[in-house]
Amino acid sequence: NEWAGCAPQNVEQLPGAGSNRTYYRFTSSEGKTLIGVKGTSREENEAFIYLSGHFGRCGLSVPQIVAVSAGRLCYLQSDLGRLSLFDALAGGRGRGGAYNEEERMLLRRTIAELPRIQFADIENLDFGRCYPISSMDKTSVFFDLNYFKYCFLKSTGLDFNEVRLQRDFEAMCADLLDDEERHAFQYRDFQARNVMLNEEGRPYFIDYQGGRRGPVEYDVASFLWQASARYPSALREELIQVYA
């Protein structure tokens, strides 16, 4: 009401997205829409608002922030529609990973944008404004590796040597963090659910507020080895080449 000068004609709460943020679609009497976001962490909101501005100035396809509350816990952003890449790929997942050419085109289009995000004017990107940390570190790597161990591996009942696994974890962590020359903006949660498609099938990107400086191959692996996607090996290799 304060920003638009009138109350919305309709307010629709959107499904949760695995975080503490709450999303609403506000529709005006003219049919125009905006997305309202209510967060619980001011720092997380600040990271998203800052990164959205940075990426927007670089010409990337991200939501535009149009208003922010005084307490910085709520903000309004442009509405990117209802169709996510994840939903658009439902047919391929339903066919056990047999993606048709239209679905493969959407995947190629999406991963081709990833380097533009990772290297978008990083000389002028203030990583100190990232949340919750500015750079990928050993703690971050082991959060993910231990998530794999305790939430997947141990739940399968498979017999494994935990000491040798720990050594592998240490080696992987050292390799990821060793070469800072291949570090840029790490999206951190680059997956099909965080890509929205407009009417022309152009990808727009959301939920990058957890990004930080880190190894760029992390995002490629997150996208292509997402368990539910069932991408066949040949398609993964094709998309890696598109990214490269």
Side-chain angles (χ1 to χ4, degrees):
N1 194 4
E2 181 179 337
W3 178 80
C6 61
Q9 185 80 12
N10 185 62
V11 178
E12 172 192 1
Q13 184 170 346
L14 303 179
S19 73
N20 291 328
R21 294 182 304 282
T22 309
Y23 296 86
Y24 302 88
R25 175 172 282 110
F26 299 136
T27 305
S28 72
S29 56
E30 292 82 22
K32 297 180 180 179
T33 60
L34 285 172
I35 300 299
V37 184
K38 181 179 181 181
T40 57
S41 167
R42 177 174 176 171
E43 293 81 6
E44 185 177 38
N45 283 2
E46 293 283 11
F48 183 78
I49 293 165
Y50 169 72
L51 290 170
S52 296
H54 176 82
F55 293 144
R57 288 188 294 273
C58 293
L60 299 181
S61 300
V62 297
Q64 178 186 2
I65 308 299
V66 300
V68 182
S69 68
R72 314 293 284 182
L73 287 178
C74 302
Y75 55 89
L76 295 174
Q77 66 180 52
S78 54
D79 187 356
L80 301 179
R82 297 178 180 271
L83 181 64
S84 70
L85 177 63
F86 182 82
D87 292 336
L89 299 176
R93 289 195 305 276
R95 294 187 293 271
Y99 290 89
N100 61 31
E101 180 53 31
E102 181 179 356
E103 293 161 342
R104 295 165 78 98
M105 178 192 67
L106 291 174
L107 286 165
R108 289 194 296 268
R109 224 178 251 173
T110 299
I111 203 165
E113 290 294 304
L114 177 57
R116 295 188 63 214
I117 298 171
Q118 293 175 324
F119 294 93
D121 192 21
I122 56 171
E123 295 82 5
N124 293 309
L125 196 160
D126 183 358
F127 284 98
R129 300 181 69 171
C130 292
Y131 174 87
I133 57 176
S134 60
S135 298
M136 189 78 164
D137 58 10
K138 185 173 181 178
T139 300
S140 302
V141 175
F142 270 88
F143 277 156
D144 295 333
L145 295 176
N146 285 326
Y147 184 84
F148 162 75
K149 181 170 73 172
Y150 291 110
C151 297
F152 172 74
L153 191 56
K154 282 183 175 288
S155 68
T156 66
L158 288 172
D159 185 33
F160 66 95
N161 187 313
E162 197 157 358
V163 173
R164 292 175 62 186
L165 179 67
Q166 184 66 23
R167 290 172 184 161
D168 285 345
F169 282 178
E170 295 281 354
M172 182 181 293
C173 180
D175 181 61
L176 278 170
L177 301 179
D178 177 56
D179 186 4
E180 291 193 357
E181 289 186 2
R182 68 182 190 224
H183 289 194
F185 179 76
Q186 183 190 95
Y187 198 115
R188 185 71 179 160
D189 198 14
F190 192 73
Q191 56 157 309
R193 294 184 189 275
N194 290 336
V195 180
M196 305 301 294
L197 301 173
N198 70 2
E199 293 179 357
E200 291 77 38
R202 178 182 176 183
Y204 282 75
F205 302 92
I206 60 174
D207 277 6
Y208 36 76
Q209 64 276 348
R212 63 201 64 173
R213 184 187 290 277
V216 296
E217 59 267 45
Y218 182 101
D219 292 330
V220 181
S222 294
F223 188 68
L224 296 182
W225 273 267
Q226 184 180 348
S228 63
R230 301 180 180 179
Y231 299 135
S233 297
L235 178 56
R236 284 197 188 111
E237 184 58 36
E238 176 188 355
L239 295 174
I240 288 172
Q241 294 307 314
V242 170
Y243 170 82

